[in-house]
């Protein structure tokens, strides 16, 4: 816990709730919200409030790349969000739910093994379970939609785009969208539908508890099932019919450790231990992976610290104080970088650690590089200026290359269809849909056993499946390394 000046410093940069501006102006024929920046607001939190991205905000406000200050005005592209959400729900209800007339028309996929014979599927049927809450949301103002429902709608939009694209290429099959945004009684009723037993693949649900319920039906009927959201690997144990497209935090910690050993062997590598039980597996994974690699390179192993001992293990910069004692500044003569690794999923712990490390750089001129995991991209309380100053590097599974022509095409198509910017869930839905639907068309009943061979790059997701043992499922280990610079993350590996 921080105290004194450090406590006030940390509290100063806690996130401020952001209200969307009601002021809309037309500039050069385009509509923009005019957002007045308030104290502690960040580019990320502002972009999230308006349903857009940091890149889009910066492209319309180039001066913002130098940082924000209270009183700044930002032009945020006006997007018809409410219409988008309502249109999506109408589209789901009217166009995408394809009822199955008879169970006997669709073959069932048996559990796969190495000796599986490839059998084409003439008419593919895939069930997608999403938290849509259709009955509750149909007459509701879209701006008040729960986050879970928005996530479900956006995933649907992405998978629908993949489905439509594949249909144009000759894909023969159907999507069946099921509303998993129901209570336990509604879920039981949903899972009793006889057509579920005849599906070729299940995708979802997005929540772990409901996924377990659908997994039970999948096991009983020998149907392969995909988990498209971030969760632990326990769902893979003893379930060879499961695959998960999002690498776990443990896998991210492993990838981060390999990168740190490759790039920073011989440096002062400090492993921050949050003392949180939830973070223990990631801390252990990082340590277990990096130390043998450092020993092999004849380098010192990592030093493990807490908030209390962190400062004692930093190598301080050699500085020269200002001759004028009334002016408390210094000139940095030399500074060996400290590599501080924060493998924590707790937003408060990560924010406090980042704020404290930034304070050290300001007080002592210390050179610090911070390493973290994908959750750094989601923590609104992290100040972008601090991330820049600390040269933050993260392991991540959200690897969107905005310069890729295919990415640009998807974004333009999405804007045309939905009048807004695609989110991570749109990209996730598109990648999962395209990968599995095209895989079913190509490999039929052998798809599950082929997963480790299908190393592909989607718009956001890289598919690199690994099966820990023959009795367990497949985890996607497609993790990349991202560096924070110029107020956004760019891939370095």
């Amino acid at each position: 816990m921080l105290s004194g000046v450090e406590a006030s410093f940390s509290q100063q940069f806690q996130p401020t709730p952001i209200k969307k501006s009601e002021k809309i102006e037309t500039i050069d024929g385009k509509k923009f919200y005019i957002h007045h920046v308030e104290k502690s607001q960040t580019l990320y939190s502002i972009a999230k409030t308006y349903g857009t991205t940091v890149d889009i905000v910066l492209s319309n406000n180039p001066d913002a790349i130098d940082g924000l200050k209270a009183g700044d005005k930002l032009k945020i592209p006006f997007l018809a969000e409410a219409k988008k959400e309502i249109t999506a729900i109408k589209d789901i209800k009217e166009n995408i739910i394809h009822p199955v007339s008879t169970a006997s028309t669709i073959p069932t996929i048996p559990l796969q093994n190495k000796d599986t014979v490839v059998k084409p599927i003439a008419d593919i049927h895939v069930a997608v379970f999403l938290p849509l809450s259709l009955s509750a949301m149909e007459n509701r103002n879209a701006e008040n939609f729960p986050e879970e429902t928005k996530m479900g709608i956006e995933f649907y939009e992405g998978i629908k785009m993949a489905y439509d694209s594949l249909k144009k290429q000759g894909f023969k099959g159907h999507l069946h969208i099921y509303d998993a945004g129901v209570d336990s009684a509604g879920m039981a009723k949903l899972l009793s539908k006889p057509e579920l037993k005849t599906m070729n693949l299940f995708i979802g649900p997005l929540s772990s508890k409901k996924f377990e319920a659908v997994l039970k039906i999948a096991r009983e009927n020998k149907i392969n099932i995909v988990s498209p959201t971030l969760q632990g690997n326990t769902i893979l144990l003893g379930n060879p019919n499961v695959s998960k497209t999002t690498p776990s935090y443990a896998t991210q910690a492993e990838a981060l450790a390999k990168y740190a050993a490759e790039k920073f062997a011989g440096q002062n590598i400090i492993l921050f231990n949050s003392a949180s039980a939830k973070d223990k597996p990631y801390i252990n994974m990082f340590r277990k992976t990096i130390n043998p690699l450092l020993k092999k390179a004849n380098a010192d192993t990592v030093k493990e610290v807490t908030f209390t001992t962190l400062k004692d293990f930093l190598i301080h910069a050699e500085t020269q104080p200002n001759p004028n004692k009334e002016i408390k500044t210094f000139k940095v003569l030399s500074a060996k970088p400290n590599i501080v690794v924060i493998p924590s999923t707790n937003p408060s712990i990560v924010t406090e650690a980042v704020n404290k490390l930034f304070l050290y750089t300001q007080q002592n001129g210390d050179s610090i590089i911070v390493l973290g995991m994908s959750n750094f991209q989601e923590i609104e309380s992290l100040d972008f200026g601090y991330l820049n100053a600390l040269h933050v590097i993260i392991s991540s599974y959200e690897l969107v290359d905005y310069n890729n022509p295919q990415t640009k095409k998807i974004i333009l198509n999405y804007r045309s269809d939905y009048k807004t910017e695609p989110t991570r869930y749109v990209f996730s839905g598109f990648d999962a849909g395209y990968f599995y639907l095209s895989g079913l068309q190509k490999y039929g009943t052998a798809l599950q056993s082929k997963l480790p061979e299908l190393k592909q790059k989607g718009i956001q997701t890289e598919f690199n499946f690994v099966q820990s043992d023959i009795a367990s499922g497949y985890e996607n280990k497609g993790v990349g390394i991202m560096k924070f610079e110029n107020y956004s993350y760019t891939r370095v590996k």
Side-chain angles (χ1 to χ4, degrees), residues 22-38:
E22 296 180 359
K23 185 177 181 181
I24 299 173
E25 292 184 2
T26 300
I27 302 173
D28 295 330
K30 297 181 180 179
K31 287 186 177 181
F32 293 90
Y33 292 103
I34 305 300
H35 179 82
H36 291 257
V37 178
E38 296 181 7

Side-chain angles (χ1 to χ4, degrees), residues 479-493:
V479 178
I481 303 298
M482 313 276 281
K483 183 177 181 180
F484 191 86
E485 54 187 0
N486 295 327
Y487 291 89
S488 64
Y489 285 98
T490 55
R491 186 168 186 176
V492 294
K493 184 176 180 181

Side-chain angles (χ1 to χ4, degrees), residues 314-455:
L314 292 174
I315 296 176
H316 297 299
E318 181 185 350
T319 61
Q320 182 180 62
N322 192 307
N324 185 345
K325 294 182 179 180
E326 295 181 2
I327 303 175
K328 296 181 179 180
T329 61
F330 52 81
K331 179 181 179 182
V332 178
L333 301 178
S334 65
K336 185 177 180 180
N338 299 278
I339 315 302
V340 183
V341 186
I342 311 175
S344 174
T345 59
N346 185 308
S348 298
I349 289 173
V350 172
T351 301
E352 187 174 3
V354 167
N355 289 353
K356 193 167 188 175
L357 289 167
F358 179 78
L359 179 63
Y360 292 157
T361 66
Q362 300 304 295
Q363 289 179 333
N364 309 311
D366 293 339
S367 177
I368 297 174
I369 298 174
V370 167
L371 272 58
M373 301 188 295
S374 65
N375 58 309
F376 271 56
Q377 295 169 279
E378 305 166 19
I379 301 175
E380 295 183 25
S381 52
L382 289 176
D383 185 272
F384 277 24
Y386 297 3
L387 299 183
N388 260 353
L390 295 170
H391 314 288
V392 166
I393 296 171
I394 64 170
S395 55
S396 179
Y397 56 89
E398 295 179 350
L399 310 166
V400 181
D401 179 5
Y402 288 97
N403 293 318
N404 184 299
Q406 182 66 14
T407 303
K408 291 179 179 179
K409 181 180 178 181
I410 294 298
I411 291 174
L412 289 173
N413 288 343
Y414 186 84
R415 287 175 183 166
S416 175
D417 290 343
Y418 298 105
K419 314 306 178 191
T420 187
E421 296 298 317
T423 66
R424 54 192 288 214
Y425 298 112
V426 174
F427 291 136
S428 178
F430 182 90
D431 286 345
Y434 204 96
F435 179 85
Y436 283 96
L437 294 179
S438 60
L440 281 171
Q441 176 128 312
K442 184 174 182 179
Y443 295 104
T445 60
L447 174 60
Q448 192 80 348
S449 64
K450 290 286 186 181
L451 289 177
E453 300 175 28
L454 303 180
K455 301 184 189 306

Side-chain angles (χ1 to χ4, degrees), residues 132-233:
L132 302 170
S133 304
L134 295 177
S135 58
M137 296 299 112
E138 194 170 23
N139 298 315
R140 186 169 179 173
N141 184 323
E143 295 202 3
N144 296 322
F145 275 26
E147 283 301 313
E148 186 182 55
T149 302
K150 285 186 177 181
M151 180 172 69
I153 290 172
E154 289 163 0
F155 189 93
Y156 155 77
E157 291 166 345
I159 201 169
K160 179 180 182 293
M161 288 181 70
Y163 174 76
D164 290 343
S165 178
L166 287 169
K167 289 287 281 186
K168 292 177 182 177
Q169 300 173 42
F171 175 77
K172 294 179 173 60
H174 308 276
L175 284 182
H176 304 257
I177 307 298
Y178 292 96
D179 186 0
V182 293
D183 56 21
S184 56
M187 197 66 188
K189 183 178 180 181
L190 170 62
L191 296 181
S192 69
K193 290 180 177 291
E195 70 258 27
L196 291 181
K197 298 179 181 180
T198 61
M199 293 289 163
N200 301 118
L201 182 71
F202 290 164
I203 297 179
L206 306 186
S207 72
S208 56
K209 186 175 181 180
K210 289 181 176 177
F211 185 88
E212 289 284 352
V214 178
L215 173 57
K216 184 174 183 292
I217 303 297
R219 275 198 305 259
E220 291 172 354
N221 295 281
K222 298 180 179 169
I223 300 171
N224 294 320
I225 180 171
V226 179
S227 171
T229 49
L230 178 61
Q231 53 179 298
N233 288 344

Side-chain angles (χ1 to χ4, degrees), residues 91-152:
D91 186 46
I92 295 169
K93 296 195 76 172
E94 292 184 359
N95 299 318
I96 298 300
I97 299 179
H98 302 286
V100 181
S101 55
T102 58
S104 61
T105 59
I106 310 170
T108 300
I109 301 179
L111 291 178
Q112 309 301 327
N113 56 58
K114 299 299 180 184
D115 300 320
T116 299
V117 177
V118 176
K119 293 182 180 179
I121 304 172
D123 192 20
I124 296 167
H125 290 259
V126 175
V128 185
F129 300 87
L130 298 172
L132 302 170
S133 304
L134 295 177
S135 58
M137 296 299 112
E138 194 170 23
N139 298 315
R140 186 169 179 173
N141 184 323
E143 295 202 3
N144 296 322
F145 275 26
E147 283 301 313
E148 186 182 55
T149 302
K150 285 186 177 181
M151 180 172 69

Side-chain angles (χ1 to χ4, degrees), residues 57-76:
V57 175
L58 286 174
S59 67
N60 289 280
N61 305 273
D63 291 343
I65 198 168
D66 296 323
L68 299 179
K69 61 181 183 295
D72 284 351
K73 293 181 181 180
L74 298 178
K75 298 184 299 181
I76 314 292

